[in-house]
Amino acid sequence: MNRLLVSLLAAVDALLAVAVGVGVVLAPVTLVWIFGVGGDADWSALWPAAATIWQLGHFAPVAVSLPAELVVLGGLPSNGAQFALSLAPTALALFTAVSAWRSGSRAARAGAWVTGVVGGTVTVAVVSAVIALTGRASVASVDLLAAVAGPTLVFAVPALVGAVVRAWNDGDDGIIDALSERLPDDVQEAVDAGARAVAICVAGIVAVGAVILAVLFFVRGGEVIALTQAAQADLLGVVVLALGSILYLPTLVMWFAGFAVGPGFAVGTGTAVSPAATSLGVVPGIPVFGVIPDSTSGWLLLLGLIVIGFGALAGASTRGALLVGSKTDAEPLRPRLVSLAVLTAGTGVVVAVLSWAAQGSIGPGRLTQVGPEPWLVALVAAAEVAVGAAIVLLSPRGEDDPSRPQPPLVREAAAPAPNVEPARATPPAASPDEFPTAPLD
């Protein structure tokens, strides 16, 4: 496909991703303006609020400066008038990242992945700059560099990874093919199998976090309702709180994914929520925080076995793929070690990025640190996955192992019986004593 056309299509993808993301924020804000304010205020004042929320959702920290009368009305300390808000509603970034991945993959399929990634990234950077320049607010301000760099990186990195993955699988007649040709065949297969194993482990860890969060919503739903009622919000306020909770849902999933891995997360400086122990101070009265348990049991440390199990599952999948791709029944050690290294390092990197996206600041003082500790969660997750995968990948395989590819069964044809006429039975010769003798005349 023509490179210019690929670049234009990638730019359209990027423009749609930004437009939909901003629209998701602007729509509920407009509803608040219509039903809450009654349309008396200027609608243009809503644009800075929507732009700031969208920028926060793409990891651009917001510097909040509250008016003095609002500080007194809210009962906040004097030093709480100014603080940084950096905990991102990651649903917005997730939507942009998925759109970017698909855009990069389509560009690679068209044979011009570099052009497509560059075109989409430049478009996001330009549109982000326009949003930052037109959406400035006095109460909540975002640095121009962060407002442009955050959305641009959220689009550029997944687009590049999606394009490289597609080019690696399908070929690009360029740098990716040149790189793959330099690698031995067994190493290429090991890298492919290890990358698929990374996807299995990361998906499993995130799924466990989602299941834990769902169970807590069911068990502690009363606390969430009580905090919502304590906020004394009307119907419109409840809808806004619900929409805000949905935007932060992926963030909470990663909190409890870190809980399943072991290190857990914090809800303020000096606090910890983990299977080993839970130490909470005064938790902000945000309704969705009602799912956070007050105490935990040491038995929950067994959740780490689930992560190890995902590592074992990924190791079994990897070993089976290496056996299927092998031209012989032998299992050389190098491909298995390469796959194990790719699985361990890849899982650690991805979990670190996801954990970093789920931590930040939500207020002054002790609230400057909430969420998981990225390096610790990533290190423990990589270690647990490596243990499970190493057990399966490096253990000796028996001859009767069902996962070993078996040669096709060939039924031997029975040899035809020789065409020999069966011998006729001849009566035994009678002894002389058996014959009757007639008397002689």
Side-chain angles (χ1 to χ4, degrees):
M1 187 180 293
N2 185 278
R3 293 182 182 274
L4 178 59
L5 182 57
V6 172
S7 180
L8 291 176
L9 292 176
V12 172
D13 288 340
L15 189 60
L16 288 176
V18 174
V20 173
V22 174
V24 168
V25 178
L26 192 58
V29 173
T30 303
L31 291 178
V32 173
W33 174 73
I34 294 174
F35 297 102
V37 183
D40 296 333
D42 186 9
W43 183 87
S44 61
L46 301 179
W47 170 246
T52 302
I53 294 174
W54 182 80
Q55 291 162 351
L56 176 63
H58 291 79
F59 312 112
V62 178
V64 180
S65 299
L66 299 178
E69 56 273 13
L70 187 59
V71 173
V72 175
L73 182 63
L76 299 175
S78 58
N79 59 354
Q82 296 181 350
F83 59 91
L85 180 62
S86 60
L87 183 65
T90 47
L92 298 173
L94 179 62
F95 174 78
T96 302
V98 171
S99 301
W101 180 287
R102 297 178 60 185
S103 177
S105 179
R106 283 194 293 265
R109 192 183 302 116
W113 63 271
V114 176
T115 304
V117 171
V118 171
T121 301
V122 171
T123 302
V124 172
V126 172
V127 177
S128 299
V130 173
I131 294 174
L133 293 174
T134 60
R136 291 183 174 274
S138 57
V139 175
S141 60
V142 181
D143 182 71
L144 179 60
L145 179 59
V148 176
T152 303
L153 289 176
V154 170
F155 185 92
V157 174
L160 179 61
V161 174
V164 170
V165 170
R166 175 63 65 178
W168 178 274
N169 292 331
D170 299 346
D172 66 340
D173 297 328
I175 185 174
I176 300 300
D177 284 348
L179 176 62
S180 62
E181 289 173 359
R182 292 178 178 271
L183 298 177
D185 292 340
D186 58 345
V187 175
Q188 291 186 36
E189 295 174 358
V191 171
D192 292 341
R196 288 190 291 269
V198 171
I200 293 174
C201 291
V202 173
I205 293 173
V206 174
V208 172
V211 170
I212 295 175
L213 181 60
V215 171
L216 288 174
F217 265 116
F218 178 77
V219 174
R220 298 182 58 85
E223 294 292 331
V224 177
I225 296 174
L227 289 174
T228 304
Q229 293 174 343
Q232 297 181 354
D234 56 5
L235 178 60
L236 184 60
V238 172
V239 173
V240 172
L241 288 174
L243 291 175
S245 300
I246 292 174
L247 292 180
Y248 276 99
L249 196 58
T251 304
L252 294 175
V253 168
M254 281 309 303
W255 284 15
F256 287 100
F259 182 90
V261 170
F265 58 93
V267 193
T269 304
T271 64
V273 180
S274 68
T278 295
S279 175
L280 289 174
V282 179
V283 179
I286 302 174
V288 73
F289 280 4
V291 301
I292 299 176
D294 300 324
S295 61
T296 53
S297 170
W299 288 100
L300 293 176
L301 288 171
L302 296 177
L303 290 172
L305 296 178
I306 300 178
V307 181
I308 296 176
F310 281 117
L313 177 63
S317 173
T318 300
R319 193 163 189 175
L322 293 177
L323 281 172
V324 170
S326 178
K327 298 179 181 178
T328 63
D329 290 339
E331 286 189 287
L333 182 62
R334 183 175 70 172
R336 288 182 285 161
L337 290 178
V338 171
S339 295
L340 180 61
V342 172
L343 169 59
T344 303
T347 302
V349 170
V350 175
V351 171
V353 172
L354 295 178
S355 300
W356 173 85
Q359 57 86 39
S361 170
I362 59 173
R366 56 188 295 270
L367 296 180
T368 56
Q369 181 183 356
V370 295
E373 189 67 37
W375 69 268
L376 184 58
V377 175
L379 183 63
V380 177
E384 291 175 347
V385 165
V387 169
I391 292 174
V392 178
L393 279 173
L394 304 180
S395 61
R397 186 182 296 274
E399 294 295 331
D400 57 346
D401 197 318
S403 61
R404 175 186 291 275
Q406 300 294 331
L409 296 177
V410 179
R411 187 184 299 275
E412 296 183 359
N419 189 12
V420 178
E421 184 178 357
R424 294 181 179 178
T426 55
S431 62
D433 297 337
E434 295 179 359
F435 289 96
T437 57
L440 296 178
D441 292 336

